[in-house]
Amino acid sequence: MARLLIVEDDETIGRVLESGLRMHDHEVVWQRSGQGAIREATAAGFDLVLLDLGLPDLDGIEVCERIRRLQPECVLVMLTARQDEMDVIVGLEAGADDYLTKPFGLAELLARIRAHLRRAAPAGPVRPEFRIGDLVVDTGARRCFVAGREVRLRAKEFDLLSRLAADTGKAVSREDLMSDVWDENWFGPTKTLDVHVAALRSKLAGAAADEQTAMPQIVTLRGHGYRLDGPHG
Ligand code: CA
């Protein structure tokens, strides 16, 4: 069971989401406005937020940013009716972990929520630590360090880096990254992946103190995926 916040002004969609998620044993709070969502996210912690981008009072992207600041650890999924790719990219950059384009089925939403929550709390006995040059990825503590200084990564950025680090020097396909980091049955667009890679690159580059820092690089393999190369290639 998870604590979910639904932010949706459409009565029909909101009611379907609320009752569907409650039926699957989630604790659900439904807010119909951006102000209401921010008030709710200020008052209580949530495991996952479903955020409609088209809200009556505030811009959805702004609400996204504010919820992300209030709750850095929660999973944030945008619901968008818009077809415009820019909205999706701006939303991901504003802190969303994922998005669903309306209309979507309840089964798809539930599968996505399950995958997110499972990955937010990974289980299993093996939690290795990867050391690549001056980069340390501690998967047990879910912490990342560059030259001894901690770099704050969002949940999916950390999962993505861990996945690449586990296969340092090897090509990892987009399909494998999407299924391992996001959802084993991923069938949606994979722009999410590129936005997270871009964020990760910029955070790691920003964390490197100077040119002496031995940093691995995330290399783009056109038409295939990505590869994490050690500092010396
Ligand atoms: Ca709406």
Side-chain angles (χ1 to χ4, degrees):
M1 192 190 86
R3 247 181 90 72
L4 308 180
L5 172 62
I6 299 170
V7 188
E8 171 62 81
D9 61 310
D10 183 301
E11 282 293 324
T12 310
I13 297 174
R15 206 171 306 122
V16 168
L17 290 177
E18 183 189 44
S19 63
L21 293 170
R22 281 203 178 131
M23 259 176 18
H24 286 80
D25 292 331
H26 293 300
E27 196 181 322
V28 179
V29 175
W30 174 15
Q31 283 291 336
R32 293 164 178 77
S33 69
Q35 295 286 4
I38 289 160
R39 199 167 51 239
E40 202 65 55
T42 308
F46 291 93
D47 301 306
L48 188 140
V49 177
L50 293 175
L51 173 65
D52 176 31
L53 283 188
L55 294 170
D57 57 338
L58 294 176
D59 179 54
I61 299 293
E62 188 195 330
V63 178
C64 182
E65 278 171 348
R66 291 177 64 180
I67 292 177
R68 173 51 72 209
R69 277 202 297 275
L70 289 164
Q71 308 219 3
E73 304 299 328
C74 87
V75 177
L76 223 161
V77 179
M78 299 179 280
L79 307 177
T80 173
R82 309 175 199 179
Q83 298 304 309
D84 189 353
E85 281 191 345
M86 273 316 289
D87 282 326
V88 168
I89 294 171
V90 170
L92 290 166
E93 286 172 353
D97 297 293
D98 192 7
Y99 65 98
L100 274 169
T101 305
K102 295 178 189 176
F104 52 83
L106 190 60
E108 185 189 357
L109 174 65
L110 286 165
R112 207 70 81 80
I113 289 175
R114 260 198 308 278
H116 275 296
L117 295 178
R118 194 168 54 234
R119 280 171 180 70
V126 183
R127 305 245 184 113
E129 181 176 292
F130 302 106
R131 291 174 175 273
I132 307 139
D134 284 331
L135 173 74
V136 174
V137 184
D138 179 349
T139 63
R142 293 185 64 82
R143 298 174 79 181
C144 168
F145 300 87
V146 169
R149 274 207 307 268
E150 181 154 20
V151 186
R152 304 272 305 173
L153 298 179
R154 296 197 351 238
K156 291 291 166 196
E157 292 165 358
F158 186 87
D159 293 342
L160 182 59
L161 181 60
S162 304
R163 179 64 188 82
L164 289 169
D167 272 322
T168 301
K170 292 184 195 150
V172 186
S173 71
R174 299 180 69 84
E175 291 73 25
D176 283 352
L177 288 170
M178 289 312 296
S179 69
D180 291 349
V181 177
W182 275 270
D183 189 333
E184 62 211 21
N185 298 307
W186 189 271
F187 45 84
T190 59
K191 195 163 295 299
T192 304
L193 173 60
D194 303 305
V195 174
H196 278 74
V197 168
L200 200 47
R201 275 185 181 138
S202 110
K203 283 190 185 177
L204 293 179
D210 52 42
E211 285 158 20
Q212 304 306 312
T213 312
M215 286 302 288
Q217 301 293 329
I218 303 173
V219 179
T220 303
L221 306 171
R222 285 183 71 90
H224 182 76
Y226 293 97
R227 185 183 68 224
L228 186 69
D229 274 349
H232 308 296

